[in-house]
Amino acid sequence: MKNDSLKGQHRINEQIRAKEVRIVGDEEIEAKVYPIFQALKMAEEREMDLVEISPNAEPPVCRIIDYSKFLYQLKKRQKEQKAKQVKVNVKEIRFGPQTDDHDYDFKLKHAKGFLEDGDKVKAYVFFKGRSILFKEQGEVLLLRFANDLEDYAKVDQMPVLEGKRMTIFLSPKRKEMPKKVVTKPAVAPAKPQVKDDSEESKPMDDAQV
């Protein structure tokens, strides 16, 4: 039978040890407490299974369902949830306490690419031997690194010294959606007022002279 990885998570039928159970989730059966023998009989009459879904309840909560179909739906739901999860990779970038500008720019370029791809970046300075004396210099380097990436990343953890490593964690910034530009409808130009020529063409009487 498929779904073997999910089998055994629930007690079914005669595996249920309680003397009485609460039946839920069935419109045809009244939701209440039943003796176990009666619950098993109702499941058998419907050619289904009595499945214990809340074993720690008092009394345990059960449903009368097709257990094989129940496992299939459960596995399908888990698969859908897993597909929705975004896998985030963590890329490591290593510096020395006296990294030169050429090496720094090279690693900065790689970090930008990682962040644009949605990966996190773990940058650290490794202090070898007496170079631990330059730990302040390593901290300055990591803070400069974070500052140069401020358009691409946010700082999850400031530089922390653990043993011979000083580490900083960066996460990619979420890209903001471009704002929609709302254009106002053009206002139609006002129609020019046309003078009534009939008034101007009227002859003036003697009183108007």
Side-chain angles (χ1 to χ4, degrees):
M1 178 181 173
K2 294 182 179 180
N3 308 310
D4 289 338
S5 61
L6 298 175
K7 281 185 70 176
Q9 291 188 6
H10 307 88
R11 294 192 187 100
I12 63 171
N13 302 325
E14 287 76 12
Q15 296 175 355
I16 301 172
R17 302 168 186 171
K19 294 181 179 179
E20 56 184 15
V21 295
R22 183 181 299 277
I23 304 294
V24 298
D26 194 317
E27 296 179 357
E28 298 179 0
I29 301 175
E30 183 182 357
K32 67 175 187 178
V33 176
Y34 294 87
I36 186 64
F37 71 88
Q38 187 178 353
L40 287 169
K41 185 178 180 181
M42 289 190 295
E44 186 179 356
E45 289 173 349
R46 289 166 175 76
E47 296 183 351
M48 292 187 179
D49 302 292
L50 183 67
V51 181
E52 188 180 59
I53 57 173
S54 296
N56 296 325
E58 189 61 40
V61 178
C62 296
R63 291 180 63 188
I64 295 177
I65 52 178
D66 183 334
Y67 190 50
S68 297
K69 187 177 180 180
F70 171 75
L71 288 179
Y72 171 77
Q73 292 174 342
L74 186 62
K75 188 175 182 180
K76 184 179 178 182
R77 197 177 307 122
Q78 289 178 348
K79 189 175 181 181
E80 290 173 351
Q81 290 174 349
K82 189 175 181 180
K84 290 179 181 178
Q85 293 176 350
V86 179
K87 186 178 180 181
V88 178
N89 296 318
V90 179
K91 302 292 186 179
E92 291 191 355
I93 294 181
R94 172 176 169 168
F95 292 100
Q98 296 177 323
T99 300
D100 59 43
D101 289 341
H102 175 75
D103 191 27
Y104 176 86
D105 292 338
F106 177 77
K107 292 177 179 179
L108 182 67
K109 182 180 178 181
H110 274 278
K112 288 178 180 178
F114 295 147
L115 293 163
E116 286 178 336
D117 290 341
D119 298 325
K120 291 189 175 186
V121 171
K122 175 185 177 182
Y124 66 92
V125 178
F126 183 75
F127 300 99
K128 186 177 181 180
R130 294 177 60 84
S131 66
I132 192 69
L133 298 173
F134 300 99
K135 60 181 181 180
E136 290 81 6
Q137 192 171 336
E139 183 177 5
V140 170
L141 187 149
L142 291 177
L143 292 175
R144 173 192 170 192
F145 188 67
N147 185 65
D148 289 342
L149 291 170
E150 63 178 351
D151 292 336
Y152 300 84
K154 60 181 181 178
V155 178
D156 290 339
Q157 177 186 295
M158 296 297 285
V160 175
L161 181 64
E162 295 180 352
K164 295 182 179 181
R165 288 188 179 191
M166 181 175 286
T167 308
I168 191 170
F169 284 91
L170 306 170
S171 291
K173 279 187 175 179
R174 291 184 178 180
K175 295 181 180 179
E176 295 184 358
M177 297 293 291
K179 294 182 179 179
K180 292 183 178 179
V181 179
V182 180
T183 56
K184 294 182 178 180
V187 179
K191 293 182 179 180
Q193 293 182 351
V194 180
K195 292 183 179 180
D196 191 353
D197 295 337
S198 60
E199 294 182 359
E200 295 181 357
S201 61
K202 289 179 180 179
M204 297 177 65
D205 54 25
D206 296 339
Q208 290 176 318
V209 176

